Amino acid sequence: MESFFSRYKNALVLMGVLFVQVIILASNVERDNAGAANHGRTSLVRVWTINTISPLERGLVSTGHFFRDTWRNYVDLHDVRRQNTQLQSEVDRLRLEQARWKEDISESQRLKHLLDFKERYVGRTVAAQVIGTTGSEQSRVVTIDKGAQAGLKSDMAVITPDGIVGKVKEVFRYSSHVLLITDHDSGAGVVLEKSRLRGILHGTGPIDLVVNHIMADEKVDPGEQVVTSGGDGIYPRGLPVGTVISSAPDPNPDNASFLVIRIKPAADLSRLEDLLVVTEIAEQSPVAPDTSARVRAADILSERLPSVPKGKTENPDETAKNKPATGTGKPAGTTAATTPGTTVPATKPKPQVSKGGNPVNALTSGRPVSPEGGMPAVKTQGQKKKAGLDGPAKDSPAKKAPAVEPKPPAEAPPQ
Amino acid sequence: MSLTVSYTSREEIEVHKFSWVVSIGIPLLAVFLQAFLPQKRLRFMEIIDLPLLVTIFFAVSRRRPIPGLITGALIGTLQDALMGARYELRGLINLNGISKTIIGYLASSVGVKLDVDNPGSRFLMTFGFYLVHQFVYTVIDLKLVVVGAHAPPSLTHLVLGAFSNGLLAVALFAVLDRFKLRS
């Protein structure tokens, strides 16, 4: 070893001096931060360091995820069957609830359309993974594995399905820094969901958030949900922010007329892994919904009731064979009633059935989803009639020809 | 067994020394002239690189790579420090520091193998080192740090600069030879 250093002493000294000079050079040169609108320039040595460390961090995180996912997805499955049953019940309950909400959303959409409101919502997102953190008492920043090459720019909102996380602070080629909402420098326009009070959200450093600029004479109850107001130009409107923990007058005498509302973030900021970066916020006037697409809770319930097997009736030829000669020439499902007392809505939506025989949630079945995230459009004439928006009820085919689903006696399921 | 190829006689491989006044004063003077002369009416002096010539002279005279590269590093860094503001570059840019470090190392290595006291070899040596210096400088500037402190020199500019610096080196080195302390 000694002979190596003595033999290549000159070359080693040259490399050492050059290395020091390159470091000095890099620490003095600043490069434009990719996509930075107002964050200025970044030291070149910092860019090099991050570009060197990011792939290592990404590799470590990916390896950890591989082993963890392998364990979770292939080994640790002892509770899956029970959870599946619970989730299926939850899906059924939510479908009923969804139908009820859709009515409210439709009404809201119509009113907004009348008032020519502009809506801003999440247009496009890029999925990213957290590969590192530089969090401290002074700054709360995480590093994600997507950068300028994925189209990220500064000040883009970063969210999870649970709620907002923060905004993109600095963008590098293959990674970015995200400033969490709990950072002292973070801010967001928010609105309290029930009282509709508007305030400004600030980070406090630890895990909590604070909303201020709300007058002290307002009443804010713990447990109330807080969502983004969309007024800050960064976060789209209506994203969950957190839950009110407490509210009290500001102890600072200068701001005694305002409340200090402590918020627990909706997203678990201490265990961030997969994030969504909002790369595009769409803005458009709401379109009055097609009310003919309504689904009533009763229809959802009726789907779950035992009915005639669909396999036979979906084949027109088979249907024609089983169908009595009525002479109307109408397709199956719109034929006149052949058995008194067995009439059902003419075109009742057929539920998609999973392998286990349970209805499949529309959101996961590949069916188109309405813009407001509600149920897919399942057109039923009976619903049009109920909505009263499709003309007089007398024009309804269902009214003209009350229909039944063919019910072959031999294949009727046990009731 | 290593074979050392040398075009110098044993007598010619002589390590020269300089007084500390010359060792510090000559580089400072060269950098000062380089930094401030061209700003006056002597615009044509921009093609001359006095710090480079001084680096080459001290490196080939001392004939030791480590002092040679350190001399180049100090002269280049000083040159950058003085000329940085002139090109509206923020802070200390080490482009000249890196390129002159390499030239100092190469010149001191060449000084062992060549007769560097001959005017012809001095001209050719400076001609070549000028081109190498410009190449290293441009590569660092445009590829490594992407600063673009200078536009890439044209071929005419390169040849003219190498020729002018080579000629000046012959004259300058003859003057600087007077400051050598024979050991």
Side-chain angles (χ1 to χ4, degrees):
Chain A
M1 186 59 77
E2 188 180 348
S3 62
F4 174 80
F5 284 112
S6 59
R7 185 175 181 182
Y8 297 104
K9 184 176 71 176
N10 294 339
L12 290 173
V13 171
L14 174 66
M15 285 192 285
V17 172
L18 288 178
F19 180 74
V20 170
Q21 290 192 318
V22 168
I23 295 299
I24 294 172
L25 171 70
S27 63
N28 283 278
V29 176
E30 292 182 332
R31 182 176 286 176
D32 282 332
N33 191 355
N38 50 8
H39 289 296
R41 297 159 73 85
T42 305
S43 167
L44 190 62
V45 71
R46 195 151 176 253
V47 173
W48 285 352
T49 305
I50 289 168
N51 286 344
T52 304
I53 291 175
S54 291
L56 298 175
E57 285 183 314
R58 188 183 289 116
L60 285 173
V61 170
S62 300
T63 307
H65 283 185
F66 170 77
F67 286 112
R68 191 188 62 187
D69 293 345
T70 304
W71 173 261
R72 284 183 180 174
N73 297 336
Y74 296 99
V75 182
D76 188 21
L77 299 173
H78 60 278
D79 275 341
V80 167
R81 192 173 297 280
R82 182 179 54 79
Q83 286 176 354
N84 194 33
T85 308
Q86 287 177 349
L87 290 172
Q88 198 58 58
S89 306
E90 183 77 3
V91 167
D92 292 343
R93 186 183 65 77
L94 289 174
R95 290 188 72 201
L96 293 172
E97 196 172 291
Q98 199 175 35
R100 182 164 59 84
W101 283 114
K102 190 172 181 300
E103 290 295 317
D104 294 343
I105 291 169
S106 299
E107 185 177 349
S108 169
Q109 292 282 332
R110 282 198 306 275
L111 291 172
K112 284 181 179 177
H113 180 65
L114 289 174
L115 296 171
D116 196 25
F117 277 176
K118 293 283 185 187
E119 279 188 340
R120 300 177 82 239
Y121 55 90
V122 177
R124 189 174 297 169
T125 59
V126 171
Q129 272 195 331
V130 175
I131 59 172
T133 175
T134 58
S136 66
E137 286 303 313
Q138 287 74 36
S139 72
R140 299 193 170 267
V141 177
V142 295
T143 307
I144 58 174
D145 65 345
K146 293 287 178 5
Q149 205 172 45
L152 269 59
K153 294 179 180 173
S154 297
D155 285 342
M156 284 180 168
V158 181
I159 62 175
T160 68
D162 295 329
I164 65 170
V165 169
K167 67 175 183 178
V168 177
K169 185 185 178 192
E170 289 175 305
V171 181
F172 305 98
R173 190 167 180 77
Y174 298 107
S175 61
S176 301
H177 282 169
V178 175
L179 187 70
L180 301 182
I181 50 171
T182 49
D183 188 274
H184 287 285
D185 294 334
S186 278
V190 296
V191 58
L192 275 66
E193 200 167 39
K194 287 181 184 172
S195 56
R196 309 312 295 174
L197 294 169
R198 287 176 178 269
I200 298 176
L201 183 84
H202 289 293
T204 59
I207 57 170
D208 289 348
L209 304 167
V210 165
V211 174
N212 49 25
H213 291 84
I214 290 179
M215 299 302 290
D217 55 355
E218 300 287 356
K219 187 173 184 299
V220 177
D221 297 324
E224 186 167 357
Q225 301 295 313
V226 181
V227 297
T228 53
S229 67
D232 51 28
I234 294 175
Y235 300 100
R237 184 170 174 239
L239 296 177
V241 174
T243 311
V244 173
I245 301 173
S246 64
S247 69
D250 196 324
N252 185 352
D254 296 338
N255 298 325
S257 57
F258 293 105
L259 285 176
V260 173
I261 303 170
R262 305 198 76 81
I263 306 291
K264 181 186 178 188
D268 189 352
L269 301 178
S270 60
R271 293 179 183 176
L272 290 173
E273 286 185 5
D274 299 313
L275 307 174
L276 293 172
V277 182
V278 181
T279 55
E280 183 181 312
I281 297 177
E283 181 174 305
Q284 69 173 33
S285 299
V287 178
D290 180 8
T291 51
S292 63
R294 289 181 180 179
V295 177
R296 294 175 301 158
D299 296 325
I300 301 291
L301 274 175
S302 67
E303 289 176 7
R304 304 182 64 197
L305 294 174
S307 60
V308 179
K310 301 295 186 294
K312 294 290 181 184
T313 57
E314 283 175 356
N315 186 343
D317 297 335
E318 196 71 22
T319 305
K321 288 178 187 174
N322 295 335
K323 185 177 65 177
T326 57
T328 60
K330 291 181 180 179
T334 59
T335 52
T338 54
T339 308
T342 60
T343 55
V344 293
T347 54
K348 188 185 76 171
K350 296 168 185 175
Q352 293 188 342
V353 179
S354 66
K355 287 180 181 177
N358 292 316
V360 176
N361 189 342
L363 292 176
T364 58
S365 66
R367 278 196 275 172
V369 180
S370 58
E372 55 274 12
M375 287 290 292
V378 182
K379 295 184 179 180
T380 59
Q381 295 297 337
Q383 291 151 13
K384 288 183 182 178
K385 177 183 168 186
K386 179 177 175 61
L389 295 174
D390 289 343
K394 64 182 180 181
D395 296 334
S396 167
K399 179 84 175 180
K400 286 180 179 175
V404 294
E405 291 179 351
K407 195 172 184 179
E411 298 182 16
Q415 297 293 317
Chain B
M1 191 178 105
S2 64
L3 178 65
T4 304
V5 179
S6 174
Y7 297 97
T8 61
S9 64
R10 179 55 59 188
E11 288 76 20
E12 287 167 338
I13 303 176
E14 188 176 7
V15 176
H16 300 289
K17 292 184 178 175
F18 300 90
S19 68
W20 64 271
V21 176
V22 172
S23 297
I24 296 174
I26 297 293
L28 279 178
L29 182 65
V31 173
F32 180 82
L33 291 174
Q34 185 71 31
F36 296 106
L37 266 186
Q39 283 189 327
K40 304 299 178 185
R41 294 168 188 171
L42 303 173
R43 302 283 302 177
F44 66 91
M45 280 289 287
E46 282 187 345
I47 205 167
I48 301 298
D49 196 340
L50 285 176
L52 176 66
L53 300 184
V54 171
T55 301
I56 294 171
F57 177 77
F58 280 108
V60 297
S61 300
R62 287 170 174 151
R63 291 193 169 100
R64 287 189 297 166
I66 293 177
L69 70 90
I70 290 175
T71 302
L74 293 176
I75 291 176
T77 305
L78 186 63
Q79 184 182 1
D80 284 320
L82 284 176
M83 298 179 71
R86 201 178 129 205
Y87 293 104
E88 296 178 353
L89 300 173
R90 185 181 162 189
L92 177 66
I93 304 297
N94 232 3
L95 296 173
N96 273 304
I98 295 172
S99 47
K100 284 188 171 58
T101 300
I102 295 171
I103 295 298
Y105 178 81
L106 294 177
S108 56
S109 303
V110 167
V112 180
K113 302 180 187 304
L114 290 178
D115 176 11
V116 292
D117 291 336
N118 183 285
S121 62
R122 283 180 168 178
F123 173 80
L124 290 175
M125 184 178 61
T126 308
F127 189 95
F129 281 139
Y130 180 85
L131 295 178
V132 173
H133 177 268
Q134 291 297 107
F135 174 77
V136 172
Y137 188 100
T138 305
V139 166
I140 296 170
D141 184 16
L142 298 181
K143 299 295 180 188
L144 183 62
V145 297
V146 203
V147 170
H150 300 273
S154 65
L155 186 62
T156 309
H157 183 277
L158 279 176
V159 174
L160 190 62
F163 190 79
S164 306
N165 282 279
L167 283 182
L168 184 60
V170 173
L172 183 66
F173 289 5
V175 174
L176 294 177
D177 280 340
R178 298 172 182 274
F179 297 106
K180 287 179 179 175
L181 299 176
R182 295 273 173 179
S183 58

